[in-house]
């Protein structure tokens, strides 16, 4: 799939418009000012299981980022790869406590919220438990994670304009898509999470975040 494309020199992002994991990487790329080629992978059509894509990411997940012959197939790993390759502007602070907080918030989203309500999990719940049961499950997982993050930010007392200070950092890259999806798709009552609600307003006013929104991607349906 990628041999002929590997010579172009541009990064290639294999993405699905509605994937929050892909959404994170689009934000990171935009913040870093990195030009990339968008390669759509339609999850609803099962294109992630095509043999050509499986060669790029054996887990059959998006996103995958191809940089020449190198392919990274996990949003967290991609974000750290971009941080190393394009250090400016930094997504991680030098302060060790704030750096750890960024990783902790990103980890809550990446391992404690999003994977518990991804497409394969929701389909399994609806098939095994009953149609529509996945909605309540999704709301429960998001609310549990949002409560933890809201309390964590307030406890640390470090929220500035953004989650961990006055500069956009890794925590924001992971939080923004999760909050957006919670509001737009899951209809979570954000009045229970005033800090996260305020952060959402900041994200929706930032050009790098706005450009990464699902509805602005080339594979988004025209009716979205």
């Amino acid at each position: 799939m990628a041999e002929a494309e590997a010579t172009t020199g541009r990064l290639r992002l294999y993405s699905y418009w509605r994937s929050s994991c892909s959404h994170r990487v689009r934000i990171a790329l935009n913040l870093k000012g990195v030009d990339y080629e968008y390669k759509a992978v339609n999850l609803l059509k099962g294109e992630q299981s095509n043999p050509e894509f499986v060669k790029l990411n054996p887990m059959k997940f998006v996103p995958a980022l191809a940089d020449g012959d190198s392919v990274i197939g996990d949003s967290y790993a991609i974000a750290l790869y971009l941080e190393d390759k394009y250090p400016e502007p930094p997504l991680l602070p030098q302060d060790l406590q704030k750096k750890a907080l960024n990783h902790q918030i990103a980890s809550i989203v990446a391992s404690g919220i999003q994977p518990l309500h991804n497409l394969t999990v929701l389909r399994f719940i609806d098939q095994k438990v009953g149609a529509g049961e996945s909605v309540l499950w999704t709301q429960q997982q998001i609310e549990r994670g949002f409560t933890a993050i809201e309390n964590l930010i307030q406890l640390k007392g470090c929220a500035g304009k953004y989650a961990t200070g006055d500069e956009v950092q890794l925590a924001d890259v992971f939080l923004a898509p999760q909050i957006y999806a919670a509001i737009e798709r899951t209809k979570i009552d954000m009045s229970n999470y005033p800090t996260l609600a305020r952060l959402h307003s900041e994200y929706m006013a930032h050009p790098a975040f706005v450009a990464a929104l699902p509805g602005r991607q080339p594979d988004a349906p025209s009716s979205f």
Side-chain angles (χ1 to χ4, degrees):
M1 185 176 195
E3 281 191 12
E5 299 169 338
T7 59
T8 63
R10 295 175 72 197
L11 297 185
R12 300 182 309 284
L13 177 65
Y14 294 82
S15 172
Y16 178 59
W17 69 282
R18 211 173 187 183
S19 159
S20 64
C21 296
S22 299
H23 191 169
R24 299 168 195 162
V25 174
R26 296 195 299 262
I27 293 171
L29 286 163
N30 292 345
L31 289 169
K32 297 289 187 181
V34 177
D35 181 42
Y36 66 94
E37 182 179 0
Y38 189 102
K39 308 289 287 186
V41 180
N42 192 317
L43 302 185
L44 297 183
K45 293 182 178 179
E47 292 178 357
Q48 69 274 25
S49 295
N50 289 350
E52 293 286 311
F53 183 74
V54 174
K55 291 178 184 177
L56 295 172
N57 189 357
M59 281 295 288
K60 304 179 183 179
F61 289 156
V62 292
L65 183 74
D67 184 5
D69 293 329
S70 299
V71 180
I72 307 99
D74 173 84
S75 62
Y76 211 133
I78 292 171
L80 296 182
Y81 178 84
L82 293 174
E83 179 73 350
D84 287 339
K85 182 163 184 172
Y86 307 100
E88 296 296 332
L91 295 179
L92 288 169
Q94 293 298 312
D95 181 88
L96 291 182
Q97 291 186 349
K98 285 192 176 182
K99 180 183 288 188
L101 180 61
N102 271 272
H103 281 299
Q104 187 175 356
I105 293 172
S107 247
I108 291 173
V109 173
S111 62
I113 303 178
Q114 187 275 327
L116 300 178
H117 65 88
N118 68 15
L119 186 59
T120 55
V121 172
L122 300 187
R123 284 175 173 171
F124 183 86
I125 291 172
D126 283 338
Q127 290 171 1
K128 298 297 182 180
V129 182
E133 292 297 322
S134 63
V135 175
L136 292 176
W137 169 263
T138 297
Q139 291 172 339
Q140 181 187 53
Q141 303 315 310
I142 294 174
E143 289 170 353
R144 182 173 62 90
F146 277 9
T147 297
I149 295 171
E150 181 82 15
N151 291 339
L152 183 62
I153 293 175
Q154 291 183 0
L155 178 66
K156 298 294 184 180
C158 62
K161 184 175 183 180
Y162 300 105
T164 60
D166 290 327
E167 302 296 331
V168 171
Q169 296 185 321
L170 188 71
D172 303 295
V173 170
F174 279 71
L175 272 175
Q178 187 66 68
I179 297 172
Y180 178 86
I183 293 172
E184 297 296 327
R185 297 168 59 181
T186 317
K187 309 304 179 185
I188 296 293
D189 181 3
M190 294 301 293
S191 66
N192 295 321
Y193 315 104
T195 303
L196 299 186
R198 181 185 63 76
L199 290 174
H200 176 67
S201 297
E202 295 291 352
Y203 301 148
M204 294 299 288
H206 193 299
F209 287 79
V210 172
L213 288 171
R216 293 183 173 237
Q217 306 317 303
D219 55 331
S222 57
S223 59
F224 178 75

